Amino acid sequence: MTYDERPLAISAPEPRTLDLIFTDEARKLLHAKYQIIEADPENIAGLGDGVLAMARYIIGQPPLSAGTVARMPELRCVLNVESNLINNMPYEILFQRGIHVVTTGQVFAEPVAEIGLGFALSLARDIIDQDLAFRRGRELWGGEGNASSRLIAGSEIGIIGFGDLGKALRRVLCGFRATIRVFDPWLPRSILEEHGVEAASLREVLTESDFVFVVAAVTSENKQFLNAEAFASMRPGSAFILLSRADVVDFDALMAAVASGHIVAASDVYPEEPLPLDHPVRSLKGFIRSAHRAGALDSAFKKMGDMVLEDMDLMDRGLPPMRCKRAERETVSRMRSKGVKIN
Amino acid sequence: MTYDERPLAISAPEPRTLDLIFTDEARKLLHAKYQIIEADPENIAGLGDGVLAMARYIIGQPPLSAGTVARMPELRCVLNVESNLINNMPYEILFQRGIHVVTTGQVFAEPVAEIGLGFALSLARDIIDQDLAFRRGRELWGGEGNASSRLIAGSEIGIIGFGDLGKALRRVLCGFRATIRVFDPWLPRSILEEHGVEAASLREVLTESDFVFVVAAVTSENKQFLNAEAFASMRPGSAFILLSRADVVDFDALMAAVASGHIVAASDVYPEEPLPLDHPVRSLKGFIRSAHRAGALDSAFKKMGDMVLEDMDLMDRGLPPMRCKRAERETVSRMRSKGVKIN
Amino acid sequence: MTYDERPLAISAPEPRTLDLIFTDEARKLLHAKYQIIEADPENIAGLGDGVLAMARYIIGQPPLSAGTVARMPELRCVLNVESNLINNMPYEILFQRGIHVVTTGQVFAEPVAEIGLGFALSLARDIIDQDLAFRRGRELWGGEGNASSRLIAGSEIGIIGFGDLGKALRRVLCGFRATIRVFDPWLPRSILEEHGVEAASLREVLTESDFVFVVAAVTSENKQFLNAEAFASMRPGSAFILLSRADVVDFDALMAAVASGHIVAASDVYPEEPLPLDHPVRSLKGFIRSAHRAGALDSAFKKMGDMVLEDMDLMDRGLPPMRCKRAERETVSRMRSKGVKIN
Amino acid sequence: MTYDERPLAISAPEPRTLDLIFTDEARKLLHAKYQIIEADPENIAGLGDGVLAMARYIIGQPPLSAGTVARMPELRCVLNVESNLINNMPYEILFQRGIHVVTTGQVFAEPVAEIGLGFALSLARDIIDQDLAFRRGRELWGGEGNASSRLIAGSEIGIIGFGDLGKALRRVLCGFRATIRVFDPWLPRSILEEHGVEAASLREVLTESDFVFVVAAVTSENKQFLNAEAFASMRPGSAFILLSRADVVDFDALMAAVASGHIVAASDVYPEEPLPLDHPVRSLKGFIRSAHRAGALDSAFKKMGDMVLEDMDLMDRGLPPMRCKRAERETVSRMRSKGVKIN
């Protein structure tokens, strides 16, 4: 390698690409400020000591062995733009050395919150089926078409999980004067209160809500914690809106609860993705389907690149990253989301 | 009539009923505080001088002649629960005498704003057609299903008309960090600014918005002011959401603008209601249909009764009504909405 | 008079002047749009039929007889820039004819709310006396100087009166997560709730508040309604902040309550203004004194002119005034504030 | 030691005491959940291996040698309730081992923000000197007393430093419709924007503000960065409010800028504390003095205990602390605040 005074960053953003996550302008800035080495994520070790010795950043989440990490004395941060954390690098060693591992999933918070509110309003006002009825000439006019309609204003809302998605949901709900209760066992009560929501138990959230939003990450401990019993405890006619990962839900039990008419629901995620053509959720009444597209907006992907640039700028100046979310020693091994295959 | 010390109110709320607009509890309070005379709205004059001489309130909007009004020396207020003002009473005489004419349409503001936001989110994220595709096994996963998706957050929003509906819209939009421009020629600029929106011309609202909400009342001056030229001036791909009355729009031009792919749209109102089965809007792509059901929630109707009781309480104490909206001498004759036939 | 197609406005803003209430720019606009006749307020009748017959507006609150009003067929509005309503014109006749009487006191809401919050913070944190102690070398450092300090955040706040001033207070308090209770017998409970405050009785406001703000107008019914008994019912150590008019308070009882150490207080208004040099409030500990200067900012006066112009513009177009506050038939005769002598 | 299944915490909170930072109720909970070993902070090493081997938490900031830390295999967190970080423990080793060091200074954010706003309102409206004039019979009435008065509403505000204090300031300012610009080189622009403030350079903040609040921590790099040149660049008549540490300011230059009449100011902190009796700031006009009491409220100290308990509860469950602020590897050595001597 020839000498280059720009800090060196290894680029291995698969399954994403630099083109997906950077605007043209941001991409130019990236290249102006950094020497970018495009790497095969499956072979970081093969980059050679010249590159490894100088690399300050890795953009992406390539598999890394302890040995490879040992060859990277200047490494400050792994900037994971896939958002899920895969257990493919020696996190403990990274943390010992003070190398940050950060994720950019926050970019999805706003789009997910917006479509989540869209689902809630569609369920509350039966927007989809009334439009279909209208297309077919079977619409009901005025109050007659509002048999099951209700307001979000003044309602009771439950949010399960209060990370970036939960906070974004609270924000889009701020104009509705609703009571918002949150279940998040990873956060202390007072932090929830500072965000203007009530800390609550899972049971309270389920039994006292008109709308329940699920934005909890999957962990090694919460697989299918939302099961038949949970759905049975919900208010009749209430709405269940699943926005994070299907693994937190017993999906069959969810479908059964909707099929019985006890609740209505919307989901962006499924036990299998793509879903078999004959899956019964396709024809389930009282259910809004969305094909894992809640967050995947181009504008969200482009924001990833901005976040990466902002945090690299801080770290270049010897400061800690503040924009992306840092993986935590205590919880990194508990995260269990599958990686995405489709952006 | 026998002596009754409760103030007397004539009840003629057609096409609504006291049962529709009062909860059981509110209805009990109404009867406890007031002597209620149920009247044929077409024959208020026939009630007899005993009743007319003592009547303090009329609940409803029955036709009244100047002669009848002259027989009602104690009349303080006509509480119109139909919401539209019909030109069927001598407003000028009422105003001269200081008799208030109030409407309760404000109850619809919150439900209309919520479904309006629901339409906007459905259009922005293609919620309806993506659900339909999913039902049919033709869904697109992840970013592939988001070709035309966009956020409300950070967008530019136009609101045409800033009465109760416009204000309620602003409220439900407060979590979206959007720029909101308002065109309302009946309001001074500084009042709009106090509400945190920008005063704008109609042209600015049309040309600089990603979402345009129409909540303007029909007046004698604004019939079909939203015409082909107006739609052509809108941003390509922007959304037009009609929530007030169809008469402010050239509906054929609106359909043409959507059919051409220039804009997408949603509407709760139509040139004819009910609409003929063969009306082309029924099969128009890029259009969300709702059968004049935006405001007609039971909870909204019940709020009318609460408002009527609150204002009668104020007037009983010699105070002006503050809850309902007062008809204004200057504008009462300009209002041109048709009465509702169906609640 | 020679012919002038500009609408005619009679200017008699005493004790204020056009220079006080209009910026240079607004003044130019006023003269560009209107033919302004400067009049002796004591002799409007002497203006001559030429002027009276054409006058559309009166800026000010000059005495008007029924006979003079009868000579003014084009009169649309009396724009009272003195803010208090004096009983010096035939209001009933004006209202019958649909002539508006509007006041511009709203301009004082923001300045009054800000100084009110300043008083509250000074009382809560003892800002004044700690600064004086510091000047004298007797300051107490750290927690030792905070014996009586407390937060507004999370406190309970009472507001008496919820007109423009009360609403402005609520606004500047919005960042404090306080519980706000309002007593205002002229407003229905639901309007208060829509503003995010709790409707409460006077007793609740007095007994359950850490800070009580008084922004109620004086009426014929509420003279000295805040008396010894009221102060005795307040929480020990709570703060009483008087911002509207001294007549709503038994001032001697207020001073006694402060002198006894039961409460602390601040006031902008006094039973006599100016106040005798030997008045005991001058040396009262636990009391912040302000010489009727809460609202009298130059920027507030200049806003009056802007409001007048905005409403005249609406009325020129046949619309009702929306910016200034309209006097109400029911309450105009109940208002009892004295006029100001000093701006 | 006898066996105790409660986790062990070493208590060495000097200069604070457990009584100061825990309410009775919280103190009971602390003892119920944890075995508390009260320790001489100067002799943690002397506690004996029995205690050190089992200690999960240290409450306080006692000097720790690498050797002592090595004897504490179970240590999860040092909960520093003194708020300033002193360089008296081997941070690098702690961080390598994943032992958190957290501070509780956030408790002061709300009290500091409130008194800071109190200073701003006092300066803007001359509350202190007008009260003093009133005491002496020299008050000016109405507008005459408002020569230099101005509003915070609609003003331009600068905040230097956007940690907990800056965020709390933004919150109490949210009702004022002010433009808020923030200079904080440790935060990326987009985070500031998400908080609804504008990212700005130091120069912009100084030259374009009516009120400048300084809540920046002292670091090894910013000593006296607010100097004569900085004050000279401020708007004439603007207000400078110092709330963090005196070391960020050239205090003599600040006094000179106030003495010249160029700006007004308030300060809670001083180059020496306590301050000599003959220090010229004691008699400086246009300056509000407060004796390092902005944060030191009993309610703030008590909140420390609550935060400590909440974070220990999270860490007991294997989760990272979320309530207190974590020291960062990158910045811990840059922090240069002196410890407090008086609470």
Side-chain angles (χ1 to χ4, degrees):
Chain A
M1 291 182 63
T2 58
Y3 177 78
D4 187 324
E5 64 182 7
R6 292 172 301 172
L8 190 151
I10 295 172
S11 168
E14 285 73 4
R16 287 165 187 156
T17 62
L18 291 189
D19 274 350
L20 180 73
I21 64 175
F22 285 89
T23 61
D24 286 350
E25 191 182 6
R27 183 95 189 250
K28 271 178 209 153
L29 182 59
L30 175 75
H31 287 286
K33 292 186 63 174
Y34 303 98
Q35 183 181 3
I36 301 295
I37 306 294
E38 310 262 356
D40 172 2
E42 299 308 319
N43 191 18
I44 299 300
L47 281 174
D49 284 335
V51 165
L52 293 180
M54 288 176 59
R56 183 179 290 179
Y57 304 115
I58 297 175
I59 300 172
Q61 183 177 211
L64 295 174
S65 68
T68 306
V69 169
R71 293 162 62 204
M72 304 179 77
E74 298 296 324
L75 188 62
R76 296 189 191 175
C77 188
V78 177
L79 298 124
N80 173 354
V81 294
E82 205 255 315
S83 303
N84 299 296
L85 286 160
I86 302 171
N87 195 6
N88 66 353
M89 55 184 76
Y91 288 116
E92 191 50 37
I93 292 173
L94 295 171
F95 291 136
Q96 275 175 24
R97 283 181 45 195
I99 298 165
H100 296 286
V101 179
V102 300
T103 54
T104 54
Q106 195 204 35
V107 301
F108 300 126
E110 215 160 47
V112 170
E114 290 201 7
I115 205 167
L117 178 59
F119 293 155
L121 287 164
S122 288
L123 291 169
R125 305 300 289 276
D126 200 18
I127 290 176
I128 298 177
D129 285 332
Q130 293 288 334
D131 183 24
L132 295 189
F134 204 125
R135 297 182 194 192
R136 293 166 188 156
R138 295 189 194 148
E139 76 277 7
L140 296 172
W141 289 82
E144 290 170 19
N146 279 324
S148 67
S149 287
R150 75 212 112 123
L151 294 181
I152 295 185
S155 71
E156 294 178 278
I157 292 175
I159 300 179
I160 296 177
F162 204 67
D164 292 324
L165 268 62
K167 292 186 186 80
L169 259 176
R170 187 201 61 79
R171 221 158 38 228
V172 296
L173 288 167
C174 77
F176 290 87
R177 292 182 197 137
T179 300
I180 302 181
R181 293 188 188 86
V182 169
F183 171 66
D184 189 327
W186 292 17
L187 283 181
R189 167 177 296 267
S190 66
I191 287 186
L192 296 175
E193 287 166 356
E194 280 191 0
H195 280 90
V197 299
E198 292 178 24
S201 67
L202 176 60
R203 180 156 187 88
E204 284 170 312
V205 161
L206 291 169
T207 59
E208 295 179 25
S209 298
D210 303 305
F211 301 86
V212 173
F213 294 90
V214 181
V215 285
V218 189
T219 71
S220 44
E221 293 135 40
N222 69 2
K223 235 178 162 266
Q224 300 206 358
F225 75 107
L226 294 163
N227 53 22
E229 189 185 2
F231 301 124
S233 74
M234 289 178 66
R235 287 183 176 166
S238 62
F240 181 89
I241 295 154
L242 177 58
L243 298 167
S244 53
R245 287 292 181 265
D247 279 355
V248 298
V249 165
D250 177 340
F251 211 84
D252 289 336
L254 171 59
M255 286 192 295
V258 173
S260 75
H262 179 55
I263 59 172
V264 292
S267 183
D268 189 53
V269 288
Y270 302 88
E272 294 173 77
E273 296 183 9
L275 202 67
L277 286 176
D278 59 354
H279 195 282
V281 80
R282 294 186 184 276
S283 57
L284 184 58
K285 285 218 40 136
F287 200 103
I288 300 176
R289 289 143 287 255
S290 173
H292 208 142
R293 44 190 290 280
L297 267 65
D298 186 59
S299 58
F301 291 122
K302 293 295 183 283
K303 208 170 154 187
M304 284 184 174
D306 295 339
M307 288 171 70
V308 161
L309 281 170
E310 286 193 314
D311 266 349
M312 297 201 304
D313 180 68
L314 289 172
M315 290 183 281
D316 289 342
R317 293 190 282 135
L319 295 169
M322 297 294 286
R323 194 71 196 87
C324 305
K325 188 187 184 85
R326 298 186 215 168
E328 305 263 14
R329 251 190 243 242
E330 289 90 340
T331 48
V332 67
S333 65
R334 299 193 189 187
M335 308 308 284
R336 283 289 176 273
S337 289
K338 301 171 210 158
V340 294
K341 291 173 202 148
I342 303 170
N343 279 310
Chain B
M1 291 184 62
T2 56
Y3 177 78
D4 187 322
E5 65 182 6
R6 294 171 299 172
L8 191 151
I10 295 171
S11 169
E14 284 76 2
R16 287 167 187 154
T17 63
L18 291 190
D19 274 350
L20 180 73
I21 63 175
F22 286 90
T23 61
D24 285 351
E25 191 181 6
R27 182 96 190 252
K28 270 179 209 151
L29 182 60
L30 176 75
H31 286 287
K33 292 186 64 175
Y34 303 97
Q35 184 181 2
I36 301 297
I37 305 295
E38 310 263 357
D40 173 1
E42 300 307 320
N43 191 17
I44 299 300
L47 279 174
D49 283 336
V51 165
L52 293 180
M54 289 177 59
R56 183 179 291 178
Y57 305 115
I58 297 174
I59 300 172
Q61 184 177 211
L64 295 174
S65 68
T68 305
V69 169
R71 290 162 62 204
M72 305 181 76
E74 298 297 324
L75 188 62
R76 296 188 190 175
C77 188
V78 177
L79 297 124
N80 173 354
V81 293
E82 206 254 316
S83 304
N84 299 295
L85 286 160
I86 302 170
N87 196 6
N88 66 353
M89 56 183 76
Y91 289 115
E92 192 50 39
I93 291 172
L94 295 171
F95 291 135
Q96 275 175 24
R97 282 182 44 193
I99 298 166
H100 296 287
V101 178
V102 300
T103 56
T104 55
Q106 194 205 34
V107 300
F108 299 127
E110 215 160 46
V112 169
E114 289 200 9
I115 206 167
L117 178 58
F119 292 154
L121 287 163
S122 288
L123 292 168
R125 304 301 288 278
D126 201 17
I127 291 176
I128 298 178
D129 285 332
Q130 293 287 335
D131 184 24
L132 294 188
F134 205 125
R135 298 183 194 190
R136 292 164 189 158
R138 295 189 194 147
E139 77 277 8
L140 296 172
W141 290 83
E144 290 171 19
N146 278 324
S148 66
S149 287
R150 74 211 114 122
L151 294 181
I152 296 185
S155 71
E156 294 178 279
I157 292 175
I159 300 179
I160 297 176
F162 205 65
D164 293 322
L165 268 63
K167 292 185 185 81
L169 260 176
R170 187 200 61 78
R171 222 156 40 225
V172 297
L173 289 166
C174 76
F176 290 86
R177 291 183 198 137
T179 301
I180 302 180
R181 293 189 188 84
V182 169
F183 170 67
D184 189 328
W186 291 16
L187 283 180
R189 167 176 296 267
S190 65
I191 287 187
L192 296 175
E193 287 167 355
E194 280 191 358
H195 280 90
V197 298
E198 291 179 26
S201 68
L202 176 59
R203 180 157 186 86
E204 284 171 311
V205 162
L206 291 169
T207 60
E208 295 179 24
S209 297
D210 303 304
F211 301 87
V212 173
F213 294 91
V214 181
V215 286
V218 189
T219 70
S220 44
E221 292 135 41
N222 69 1
K223 238 180 158 261
Q224 301 205 358
F225 74 106
L226 295 162
N227 53 22
E229 189 187 1
F231 300 123
S233 74
M234 288 178 65
R235 287 184 175 166
S238 61
F240 181 89
I241 295 153
L242 176 59
L243 297 166
S244 53
R245 289 289 182 266
D247 279 356
V248 298
V249 166
D250 176 340
F251 210 85
D252 289 337
L254 170 60
M255 286 192 294
V258 173
S260 75
H262 179 55
I263 59 171
V264 293
S267 183
D268 188 55
V269 289
Y270 303 88
E272 295 172 75
E273 296 181 9
L275 202 66
L277 285 176
D278 59 354
H279 194 283
V281 80
R282 294 187 183 275
S283 56
L284 184 58
K285 284 215 44 136
F287 200 102
I288 300 176
R289 290 143 287 256
S290 172
H292 209 141
R293 46 189 288 280
L297 266 66
D298 186 58
S299 59
F301 291 123
K302 293 295 184 282
K303 207 169 154 188
M304 286 184 173
D306 295 340
M307 289 171 70
V308 161
L309 281 170
E310 287 194 312
D311 266 349
M312 295 202 304
D313 181 67
L314 289 172
M315 289 183 280
D316 288 341
R317 293 190 282 137
L319 295 168
M322 297 294 286
R323 194 72 196 85
C324 304
K325 190 189 184 82
R326 298 187 216 169
E328 305 263 14
R329 251 189 245 243
E330 287 91 340
T331 49
V332 66
S333 64
R334 298 191 188 189
M335 307 307 284
R336 281 290 175 274
S337 289
K338 300 172 211 159
V340 294
K341 289 172 203 149
I342 303 172
N343 279 310
Chain C
M1 291 182 62
T2 58
Y3 177 77
D4 187 324
E5 66 182 7
R6 293 171 299 172
L8 190 151
I10 295 171
S11 169
E14 284 76 2
R16 288 171 183 148
T17 63
L18 290 189
D19 274 350
L20 179 73
I21 63 175
F22 286 89
T23 61
D24 285 352
E25 191 182 5
R27 182 95 189 251
K28 271 179 209 150
L29 182 59
L30 175 76
H31 287 287
K33 291 185 64 174
Y34 303 97
Q35 184 182 3
I36 302 295
I37 305 295
E38 310 263 356
D40 173 1
E42 300 308 319
N43 191 18
I44 300 299
L47 280 172
D49 283 337
V51 166
L52 293 180
M54 289 177 59
R56 183 179 290 180
Y57 304 115
I58 297 174
I59 301 173
Q61 183 178 212
L64 295 174
S65 68
T68 305
V69 170
R71 291 162 63 204
M72 304 180 76
E74 297 296 324
L75 188 62
R76 295 188 191 177
C77 188
V78 177
L79 299 124
N80 173 354
V81 293
E82 204 256 318
S83 303
N84 299 294
L85 287 161
I86 301 170
N87 196 6
N88 66 353
M89 57 183 75
Y91 288 115
E92 191 50 37
I93 290 172
L94 295 171
F95 290 135
Q96 275 176 25
R97 282 182 46 193
I99 298 165
H100 296 286
V101 178
V102 300
T103 56
T104 55
Q106 195 205 34
V107 300
F108 299 127
E110 216 160 45
V112 169
E114 289 200 9
I115 206 168
L117 179 58
F119 293 155
L121 287 163
S122 287
L123 291 169
R125 305 301 289 278
D126 200 17
I127 291 175
I128 298 177
D129 285 332
Q130 293 288 336
D131 185 23
L132 294 189
F134 206 124
R135 296 183 196 191
R136 293 165 188 157
R138 297 190 191 144
E139 75 277 10
L140 296 172
W141 289 82
E144 290 171 20
N146 279 324
S148 66
S149 286
R150 72 211 113 122
L151 294 180
I152 295 185
S155 70
E156 294 178 278
I157 292 175
I159 299 179
I160 297 177
F162 205 68
D164 293 323
L165 267 62
K167 292 185 185 80
L169 260 176
R170 189 201 60 78
R171 218 154 44 223
V172 295
L173 288 166
C174 78
F176 289 86
R177 292 183 199 138
T179 301
I180 302 180
R181 293 187 189 86
V182 169
F183 170 65
D184 189 328
W186 292 17
L187 283 180
R189 165 176 298 266
S190 65
I191 286 186
L192 296 175
E193 287 167 355
E194 280 191 359
H195 280 89
V197 297
E198 291 179 25
S201 67
L202 176 60
R203 180 157 187 87
E204 284 171 311
V205 161
L206 290 170
T207 60
E208 296 179 24
S209 297
D210 302 305
F211 300 87
V212 173
F213 295 91
V214 181
V215 286
V218 190
T219 70
S220 45
E221 292 135 42
N222 69 1
K223 240 181 157 258
Q224 301 206 357
F225 76 106
L226 295 163
N227 52 23
E229 190 187 2
F231 300 125
S233 74
M234 289 177 66
R235 287 184 175 166
S238 61
F240 181 88
I241 295 153
L242 176 58
L243 297 165
S244 52
R245 288 289 182 267
D247 279 355
V248 298
V249 166
D250 177 340
F251 210 83
D252 289 335
L254 171 58
M255 286 192 293
V258 173
S260 74
H262 180 55
I263 59 172
V264 291
S267 182
D268 189 54
V269 289
Y270 303 88
E272 296 172 74
E273 296 182 9
L275 202 65
L277 284 177
D278 59 354
H279 194 283
V281 81
R282 294 188 183 273
S283 56
L284 185 57
K285 283 216 43 136
F287 200 102
I288 300 176
R289 288 143 289 255
S290 172
H292 209 141
R293 44 189 291 280
L297 266 67
D298 187 58
S299 59
F301 291 122
K302 293 295 184 283
K303 208 170 153 187
M304 285 184 172
D306 295 341
M307 289 171 70
V308 161
L309 280 169
E310 287 194 315
D311 267 348
M312 295 202 305
D313 180 68
L314 289 172
M315 290 183 279
D316 287 343
R317 292 190 282 135
L319 295 168
M322 297 296 285
R323 195 71 196 86
C324 305
K325 189 188 184 81
R326 300 186 215 169
E328 304 264 14
R329 250 192 246 241
E330 288 91 341
T331 48
V332 67
S333 64
R334 298 192 189 189
M335 308 307 284
R336 281 292 175 274
S337 290
K338 301 172 212 160
V340 293
K341 288 171 205 151
I342 303 172
N343 278 309
Chain D
M1 292 184 63
T2 58
Y3 177 78
D4 187 323
E5 65 182 6
R6 292 170 301 171
L8 191 151
I10 294 172
S11 168
E14 285 76 4
R16 286 166 187 154
T17 63
L18 291 190
D19 273 352
L20 180 73
I21 64 176
F22 285 90
T23 61
D24 286 350
E25 191 181 6
R27 182 94 189 252
K28 272 179 208 151
L29 182 59
L30 175 75
H31 287 287
K33 292 186 63 175
Y34 302 97
Q35 184 181 2
I36 301 296
I37 306 294
E38 309 263 357
D40 172 1
E42 299 307 319
N43 191 19
I44 299 298
L47 280 175
D49 283 337
V51 166
L52 293 180
M54 289 176 59
R56 183 178 291 178
Y57 304 115
I58 295 174
I59 301 173
Q61 183 178 212
L64 294 174
S65 69
T68 305
V69 169
R71 291 162 63 203
M72 305 180 75
E74 297 297 324
L75 188 62
R76 295 189 190 175
C77 188
V78 176
L79 299 124
N80 172 354
V81 292
E82 206 256 316
S83 303
N84 298 297
L85 286 161
I86 302 170
N87 196 6
N88 65 353
M89 56 183 76
Y91 289 117
E92 190 50 38
I93 292 173
L94 295 172
F95 291 135
Q96 276 176 25
R97 282 182 45 193
I99 297 165
H100 297 285
V101 178
V102 300
T103 55
T104 54
Q106 194 204 34
V107 300
F108 299 126
E110 216 161 46
V112 169
E114 290 200 8
I115 206 167
L117 178 58
F119 293 154
L121 288 163
S122 287
L123 291 169
R125 305 300 288 279
D126 200 17
I127 291 176
I128 298 177
D129 285 333
Q130 292 288 334
D131 184 23
L132 294 188
F134 205 125
R135 297 183 194 190
R136 294 165 187 155
R138 295 190 193 145
E139 77 277 7
L140 297 172
W141 289 83
E144 291 170 18
N146 279 322
S148 67
S149 287
R150 73 212 113 119
L151 294 181
I152 296 185
S155 71
E156 294 178 279
I157 291 175
I159 299 180
I160 296 177
F162 205 66
D164 293 323
L165 268 63
K167 292 185 185 81
L169 261 176
R170 188 201 59 80
R171 221 157 39 225
V172 296
L173 288 167
C174 77
F176 290 86
R177 292 182 198 139
T179 301
I180 301 180
R181 293 188 188 85
V182 169
F183 169 66
D184 189 326
W186 291 17
L187 284 180
R189 167 177 296 268
S190 66
I191 287 187
L192 295 175
E193 288 167 354
E194 281 191 359
H195 280 89
V197 298
E198 290 179 27
S201 67
L202 177 59
R203 181 158 186 86
E204 283 170 313
V205 161
L206 290 169
T207 59
E208 295 178 26
S209 298
D210 302 304
F211 300 87
V212 173
F213 294 90
V214 181
V215 285
V218 189
T219 70
S220 44
E221 293 135 41
N222 69 2
K223 238 181 158 264
Q224 300 206 358
F225 75 106
L226 295 163
N227 52 23
E229 189 187 1
F231 300 124
S233 74
M234 289 178 65
R235 288 183 175 166
S238 61
F240 181 88
I241 294 154
L242 175 58
L243 297 167
S244 53
R245 288 291 181 264
D247 278 356
V248 299
V249 165
D250 176 341
F251 210 84
D252 289 337
L254 171 59
M255 287 192 294
V258 173
S260 75
H262 179 54
I263 59 172
V264 292
S267 183
D268 189 53
V269 289
Y270 304 88
E272 293 173 77
E273 297 182 7
L275 203 65
L277 285 177
D278 60 353
H279 195 283
V281 80
R282 293 188 184 274
S283 57
L284 185 57
K285 285 218 42 138
F287 200 101
I288 300 177
R289 288 144 288 255
S290 172
H292 209 142
R293 45 190 290 279
L297 267 65
D298 186 60
S299 59
F301 292 122
K302 294 294 183 284
K303 208 170 154 186
M304 284 185 173
D306 295 340
M307 289 171 70
V308 162
L309 281 170
E310 287 193 314
D311 266 350
M312 294 201 306
D313 181 68
L314 288 172
M315 289 183 280
D316 288 341
R317 293 189 282 135
L319 295 169
M322 297 295 285
R323 194 73 196 84
C324 304
K325 187 186 184 84
R326 298 186 216 169
E328 305 263 14
R329 251 190 245 242
E330 288 90 341
T331 49
V332 67
S333 65
R334 299 192 189 189
M335 308 306 284
R336 282 291 175 273
S337 288
K338 300 172 212 159
V340 293
K341 290 173 204 148
I342 302 170
N343 280 311

